[in-house]
Amino acid sequence: MAVTTGGRGARSPRPEVSGSPDDAPPSGGATNTSRSPAPNRKTNWWARLKRDKFLLLLAVPGVFLVLLFQYVPLIGNIIAFKDYQPYLSIWESPWVGLENFDIIFTGDPAFINALINTLVISFVQIVLVFPIPIALALLLNSLLSEKIKRTVQSILYLPHFMSWVIVVAIFQHMLGDAGLYNTWAREHNIFEINLIGEPELFITLITSQVIWKDAGWGTIIFLAAISRVSIELYEAVAIDGGGRMRQLWHVTLPAIRGVIILLLILKLGDVLTVGFEQIYLQQAPVGREASEVLDTYVYNYGVIGGNWGASAAVGLVKGLVGALLVLGANKIAHLFGERGVYSKW
Amino acid sequence: MTDATTKRPSRGPSDRAGQLRLINGAKPPNPLVRGFKGVILLACCALVVVPFWSVIATSLADPSQVLAEGGYVMWPKEPTLAAYEAIFRGGVVTRATLVSIFVTLVGSGLSVTVVALLAYSLSRPGTFGSSKILLLVLFTMLFNAGMIPNYLLIKELGLIDSYWALILPTLTNAFQIILMRGFFLEVPGEIIDAARIDGAGELRILTTIMLPLSKAVVAVIALFNAVTYWNAFFNAVLYINSTEKWPLQLVLRTYVVDGTAVQADVSGEMVPPQLSLQMAILVVSLVPICLVYPFLQKHFAQGVVIGAVKG
């Protein structure tokens, strides 16, 4: 017992060990004030387990849920290599090797269509959506009145908390064929915008929705980065006679470069993921040709069409490609001397 | 956060803040530039405010006005609650609202409980196995199993068409666990030592010391979960089949986005126009979020930043 107490006392940074229910009196720890490394790490794990049993008990529900809903589905990905039969269980369904991946390798037209749509939408969103929060943050930061800044922020953050169903409904109400704008435009003979339900305009529609919903919220992280810039830097530029544009160019932008690159890398990892809910909600009027993306393809082909194995294969490849893209982008960021996503880990 | 605010004297009275934030030697901005900025920001705000306003106005407008103005109202002349009375007569919308309230309350309550218990357990230094559990939680931030395996898991668990399918999968959230653990770690160890000496058990320390001391973060995590549960649509699409178990978001999809006529609730007589009914459903789904929004916005923006900084 003395050995375990000593080992525990030496390793644990917690001096109140003696408060634990099954513990020796504090004198045991006090006499054994060895600074030496813990003697037998292996044998006293049982004692530590007993000491921490209440704390561990508190962790049980959370750990159980994490394992069940995060890790078990990960194993469930093996159905990508099986011919899943709904009346059999996952384990009983026969193995088929890589057969489910044929749909990817042979280039099933529906799959290729979904892939192309996904990439196009992602590209448009990186080019058009990504810079807007940065510009908005710079604009907000340049305001002199703190009050106006807060008010504008409060208003612009709001749509972020609305569900996609609400956002889509609001867009229909405002811009639909019989919506507020078009009704008004017809009365006044101004040009109409029929943004909803036009396959050619589908990308415009979902891009503008993404901007409307999340551009304001996206400014938070940039504003936080800007707020950490030391005021002396601005003063230095001002003393050297630099105006506000020079301060922006030589102080603010370099200061948020790290954050911009970090978010860009994360965005790149999501290049095969474009908002499922948003697109799924608006597929019916524009048709699959224009609107099918990988996530809706997995849903329509798998859950609705019953092609479990094949759509799981698509999902698996999509996840792997996303992870590889993040790793690759991070590598490139390191090469250019940036911190990237997980240098600090 | 704090060092930024001390360096920058922006916390002064708001009328002087503008003056103070002009750096030595900097010229005040050109009025033309200021005007231009003002126009841009005003336009941005209008893009957000006008749609919400129009939805609310249409839901409150009198049937005759809705018909007269081609269905789209910016200012209700004689506000009436007829549309709300019609959808809350005990039909689909009423049921779905109750389902959503139930799922939101149970989900966010359980979620905060589970997250707090795990975060507390992970915040006590030197606990057996806690570093491994922390790693287990952190890893879940990096990957996502995908739709099909998740669906099959729910199916194998027999949760299809059950409210638990809406609640259980999203109970834990790595980010929230890390955030709450961070707050618990900041509570001085001496307080906990004192409580232990007085004979308090772990659960008692958590409920009488930790949670009261980190009230703000608990509230924010609860509210954030509540918003997530209230807004949850995808899980309901995947896991809920029977109409009577639909949460509000599915009703909203069916009757507003897809434009299916709202009939079930209305018992003949004076029927408000479809559009008013649709907008009333939309408003019902908006209201809870708008109610908690001030709290969310104030604290969560800060929480996001602190979480990101602590990483």
Side-chain angles (χ1 to χ4, degrees):
Chain A
M1 194 58 196
V3 175
T4 48
T5 322
R8 195 194 303 148
R11 186 173 327 105
S12 166
R14 192 169 60 171
E16 72 281 7
V17 158
S18 54
S20 293
D22 60 319
D23 214 46
S27 58
T31 51
N32 199 350
T33 47
S34 55
R35 292 280 151 89
S36 62
N40 37 7
R41 195 173 241 278
K42 282 276 184 308
T43 53
N44 67 11
W45 67 268
W46 177 245
R48 296 177 62 216
L49 187 67
K50 263 172 80 178
R51 181 196 68 188
D52 294 332
K53 62 179 184 254
F54 287 111
L55 272 176
L56 290 171
L57 208 62
L58 298 185
V60 167
V63 173
F64 175 75
L65 286 166
V66 168
L67 286 176
L68 182 60
F69 289 106
Q70 309 280 350
Y71 285 89
V72 171
L74 223 53
I75 305 166
N77 267 315
I78 57 164
I79 76 150
F81 306 96
K82 287 195 162 204
D83 180 18
Y84 177 72
Q85 305 292 331
Y87 50 88
L88 298 172
S89 75
I90 295 177
W91 304 109
E92 288 157 355
S93 298
W95 291 95
V96 291
L98 292 177
E99 201 177 281
N100 284 326
F101 292 83
D102 278 358
I103 177 182
I104 300 172
F105 297 137
T106 58
D108 172 55
F111 168 76
I112 296 293
N113 177 41
L115 180 65
I116 290 174
N117 281 341
T118 310
L119 291 175
V120 170
I121 291 171
S122 259
F123 177 75
V124 170
Q125 294 199 350
I126 288 178
V127 174
L128 290 182
V129 179
F130 189 78
I132 289 179
I134 302 174
L136 208 53
L138 294 174
L139 181 61
L140 283 172
N141 184 60
S142 76
L143 294 181
L144 291 178
S145 159
E146 204 65 23
K147 220 178 192 171
I148 296 178
K149 192 170 144 186
R150 295 261 160 87
T151 314
V152 173
Q153 277 177 300
S154 302
I155 293 173
L156 295 187
Y157 289 172
L158 183 62
H160 171 78
F161 292 97
M162 301 296 162
S163 70
W164 272 115
V165 192
I166 293 177
V167 174
V168 170
I170 285 179
F171 262 73
Q172 286 185 353
H173 177 65
M174 299 304 291
L175 295 173
D177 189 30
L180 190 72
Y181 175 79
N182 285 323
T183 312
W184 180 79
R186 263 193 291 273
E187 270 172 27
H188 296 80
N189 280 322
I190 305 169
F191 75 102
E192 298 169 28
I193 309 169
N194 200 351
L195 204 52
I196 317 279
E198 295 285 330
E200 311 88 71
L201 291 178
F202 186 69
I203 293 178
T204 321
L205 172 69
I206 60 166
T207 307
S208 52
Q209 284 169 340
V210 170
I211 294 173
W212 188 79
K213 188 173 191 276
D214 283 330
W217 184 250
T219 59
I220 282 188
I221 192 108
F222 298 111
L223 283 171
I226 293 171
S227 79
R228 278 200 292 277
V229 181
S230 105
I231 200 106
E232 285 85 9
L233 291 173
Y234 290 107
E235 279 170 354
V237 177
I239 287 164
D240 290 347
R244 297 173 70 82
M245 280 319 277
R246 283 207 162 262
Q247 291 176 1
L248 173 72
W249 186 253
H250 290 292
V251 181
T252 314
L253 276 178
I256 60 175
R257 191 179 61 181
V259 177
I260 294 177
I261 289 173
L262 177 102
L263 291 181
L264 209 53
I265 293 173
L266 291 177
K267 184 82 199 139
L268 204 62
D270 274 346
V271 80
L272 294 183
T273 309
V274 279
F276 172 86
E277 292 188 5
Q278 183 196 7
I279 289 174
Y280 169 76
L281 277 164
Q282 304 181 89
Q283 261 193 326
V286 295
R288 297 252 179 102
E289 183 74 28
S291 66
E292 191 89 302
V293 293
L294 285 179
D295 281 336
T296 56
Y297 178 80
V298 169
Y299 175 77
N300 287 323
Y301 191 64
V303 179
I304 300 298
N307 299 298
W308 300 98
S311 54
V314 173
L316 189 59
V317 169
K318 183 189 147 249
L320 289 176
V321 171
L324 284 177
L325 284 172
V326 173
L327 291 176
N330 204 45
K331 192 96 194 157
I332 294 171
H334 282 314
L335 288 180
F336 281 96
E338 290 294 338
R339 271 176 13 141
V341 183
Y342 35 72
S343 56
K344 60 189 166 194
W345 287 7
Chain B
M1 287 302 284
T2 44
D3 57 341
T5 44
T6 47
K7 264 179 209 153
R8 179 174 295 187
S10 57
R11 283 285 158 87
S14 52
D15 53 344
R16 278 177 54 221
Q19 298 284 312
L20 289 169
R21 280 201 45 198
L22 272 185
I23 300 153
N24 273 350
K27 276 175 275 173
N30 186 328
L32 215 68
V33 175
R34 285 180 78 164
F36 183 64
K37 280 183 198 166
V39 169
I40 293 181
L41 289 174
L42 212 61
C44 290
C45 292
L47 281 177
V48 172
V49 172
V50 170
F52 285 117
W53 177 254
S54 161
V55 166
I56 296 168
T58 310
S59 78
L60 291 173
D62 189 70
S64 58
Q65 191 190 358
V66 174
L67 296 178
E69 300 193 5
Y72 291 89
V73 180
M74 282 308 287
W75 192 258
K77 280 177 208 136
E78 286 168 47
T80 159
L81 291 175
Y84 293 92
E85 280 165 24
I87 58 171
F88 279 123
R89 257 178 227 160
V92 183
V93 181
T94 319
R95 220 164 34 219
T97 309
L98 292 176
V99 169
S100 276
I101 292 174
F102 170 78
V103 168
T104 302
L105 289 181
V106 174
S108 44
L110 282 178
S111 181
V112 169
T113 311
V114 171
V115 167
L117 290 176
L118 184 53
Y120 175 68
S121 169
L122 292 177
S123 73
R124 295 301 89 217
T127 305
F128 180 75
S130 67
S131 59
K132 288 183 188 74
I133 297 177
L134 192 61
L135 218 57
L136 197 77
V137 171
L138 275 174
F139 264 136
T140 63
M141 284 172 129
L142 295 179
F143 55 75
N144 191 330
M147 186 189 307
I148 302 284
N150 281 323
Y151 179 84
L152 291 177
L153 174 71
I154 297 294
K155 193 166 160 256
E156 302 266 315
L157 291 173
L159 293 179
I160 294 289
D161 221 19
S162 142
Y163 296 134
W164 292 111
L166 302 179
I167 294 173
L168 292 177
T170 41
L171 270 189
T172 58
N173 175 315
F175 176 71
Q176 290 173 8
I177 294 168
I178 305 298
L179 188 67
M180 206 184 263
R181 175 176 173 268
F183 272 80
F184 287 167
L185 281 174
E186 267 164 29
V187 174
E190 288 79 10
I191 300 181
I192 297 157
D193 295 351
R196 282 225 175 82
I197 290 166
D198 289 347
E202 301 292 355
L203 201 59
R204 204 181 160 82
I205 293 172
L206 175 63
T207 52
T208 59
I209 298 175
M210 289 306 220
L211 292 181
L213 282 177
S214 22
K215 235 182 261 165
V217 71
V218 172
V220 171
I221 288 182
L223 286 181
F224 203 71
N225 278 315
V227 170
T228 312
Y229 277 110
W230 182 264
N231 280 341
F233 168 72
F234 177 41
N235 281 354
V237 168
L238 272 179
Y239 306 135
I240 299 296
N241 300 328
S242 36
T243 325
E244 62 268 23
K245 288 183 180 165
W246 274 4
L248 199 53
Q249 301 292 333
L250 281 189
V251 167
L252 195 60
R253 192 267 311 257
T254 309
Y255 294 113
V256 182
V257 176
D258 292 353
T260 313
V262 194
Q263 293 169 330
D265 303 39
V266 184
S267 54
E269 348 126 26
M270 258 300 283
V271 182
Q274 276 301 319
L275 191 72
S276 297
L277 295 177
Q278 292 178 341
M279 292 307 118
I281 299 176
L282 192 50
V283 172
V284 170
S285 63
L286 285 172
V287 162
I289 294 169
C290 293
L291 289 182
V292 302
Y293 177 66
F295 305 96
L296 272 176
Q297 200 234 337
K298 196 167 127 211
H299 297 292
F300 200 77
Q302 227 166 18
V304 167
V305 173
I306 294 168
V309 172
K310 277 187 182 154

